[in-house]
Amino acid sequence: MTAPWTVDEEPRVHPVARSGDLVHVRQVIRVLAQRCGLSLVDQTKLITAASELARNALIYGGGGTVRAGLVEANGRRGVAAVFEDSGPGISDVGQAMTDGWTSGSGLGLGLSGARRLVDDFELSTVPGEGTAVTIVKWAR
Amino acid sequence: MSERIPILRIGDTLLVSVQTDLEDQTVLNLQEDLADQIVARSAQGVIIDISALEIVDSFVGRMLATIAAISRMLDARTVVVGMRPAVAITLVELGLSLGGVSTALDLEKGLAKLSRPTSSAPQ
């Protein structure tokens, strides 16, 4: 799932450098979700997951980028987004994916909650180098 | 400069209508402004209308729970009104069921809920 882009133009890259950028990321994902024809509930789930992951990249990763675009596989269309940061990485992924566990002051729902809200979820992290999370929500 | 959401007053109830997607700082400002206004105006109730919000993520969800807790400590009750069905579904799946936050389907029902005796208030 490193390069999920199969439809249309290359994905746009959006910075996540300050909290105001989260509003922009949510708008970008909303537009893609509507273009893809996701149901209202699925749009809401995807935008919410994107908001959680973008905030993680900002707060825990010290900022990063979001790449987002439309994808297609097995005759289905979907929206994919990759959240990357070059922060400290996650030393214990199992722990980080547990509901309620947080290394900061959050609720500990960001990663585990975001995973439940999307169809595909892939996390790769290297301690000291950064974290990348790829998500896809498919149209039904 | 960060935005501030206007806080209206009807009788002894404060009314906040969230009209746009919120920046985090705006959310934090609202928490402080509401706490100040509850005391300054001796408010008994707070209604937060989120019917215009297309998503509520864990940050905003936590803000709603925090405002409810703060207003409880200041002897006021909070009712969140107008949550969209898709938002409710998403919040529960996210793992945030907002226990302790009283809700109503719309503004009218929210005001009615606040006018009922305190015994029916959430914990």
Side-chain angles (χ1 to χ4, degrees), chain A residues 4-68:
Chain A
W5 325 107
T6 49
V7 178
D8 297 349
E9 69 274 15
E10 279 292 292
R12 303 266 308 269
V13 180
H14 309 275
V16 182
R18 52 183 206 91
S19 77
D21 292 337
L22 300 179
V23 174
H24 175 69
V25 168
R26 290 193 287 261
Q27 280 165 354
V28 165
I29 300 293
R30 174 179 299 116
V31 168
L32 287 169
Q34 286 168 350
R35 269 177 58 200
C36 180
L38 293 186
S39 73
L40 185 59
V41 170
D42 283 348
Q43 284 181 34
T44 306
K45 288 181 180 179
L46 176 64
I47 299 164
T48 305
S51 186
E52 300 294 336
L53 295 172
R55 183 174 284 104
N56 277 357
L58 180 66
I59 293 175
Y60 301 104
T65 58
V66 179
R67 281 179 294 144

Side-chain angles (χ1 to χ4, degrees), chain A:
Chain A
M1 252 173 44
T2 44
W5 325 107
T6 49
V7 178
D8 297 349
E9 69 274 15
E10 279 292 292
R12 303 266 308 269
V13 180
H14 309 275
V16 182
R18 52 183 206 91
S19 77
D21 292 337
L22 300 179
V23 174
H24 175 69
V25 168
R26 290 193 287 261
Q27 280 165 354
V28 165
I29 300 293
R30 174 179 299 116
V31 168
L32 287 169
Q34 286 168 350
R35 269 177 58 200
C36 180
L38 293 186
S39 73
L40 185 59
V41 170
D42 283 348
Q43 284 181 34
T44 306
K45 288 181 180 179
L46 176 64
I47 299 164
T48 305
S51 186
E52 300 294 336
L53 295 172
R55 183 174 284 104
N56 277 357
L58 180 66
I59 293 175
Y60 301 104
T65 58
V66 179
R67 281 179 294 144
L70 297 178
V71 291
E72 193 171 312
N74 306 320
R76 286 190 307 172
R77 274 162 74 95
V79 178
V82 182
F83 302 80
E84 276 176 298
D85 67 61
S86 38
I90 301 169
S91 53
D92 186 338
V93 174
Q95 187 181 48
M97 292 300 299
T98 307
D99 267 357
W101 190 87
T102 177
S103 65
S105 58
L107 292 173
L109 291 173
L111 276 181
S112 53
R115 179 167 63 175
R116 281 192 292 273
L117 293 174
V118 296
D119 297 317
D120 299 346
F121 183 101
E122 188 184 277
L123 185 146
S124 62
T125 182
V126 179
E129 290 182 22
T131 301
V133 179
T134 303
I135 60 172
V136 184
K137 190 84 181 166
W138 298 103
R140 280 166 227 292

Side-chain angles (χ1 to χ4, degrees), chain B residues 40-60:
Chain B
R41 299 178 174 230
S42 304
Q44 297 288 297
V46 175
I47 289 193
I48 304 173
D49 173 22
I50 60 165
S51 57
L53 279 192
E54 290 178 343
I55 74 139
V56 172
D57 63 8
S58 66
F59 187 82
V60 173

Side-chain angles (χ1 to χ4, degrees), chain B residues 76-115:
Chain B
R77 287 188 286 158
T78 302
V79 182
V80 172
V81 306
M83 184 183 293
R84 297 180 179 201
V87 169
I89 292 168
T90 301
L91 270 179
V92 170
E93 203 154 318
L94 186 63
L96 214 94
S97 49
L98 296 186
V101 178
S102 186
T103 59
L105 290 184
D106 58 33
L107 180 57
E108 194 177 355
K109 291 190 173 73
L111 285 167
K113 200 165 196 171
L114 282 178
S115 68

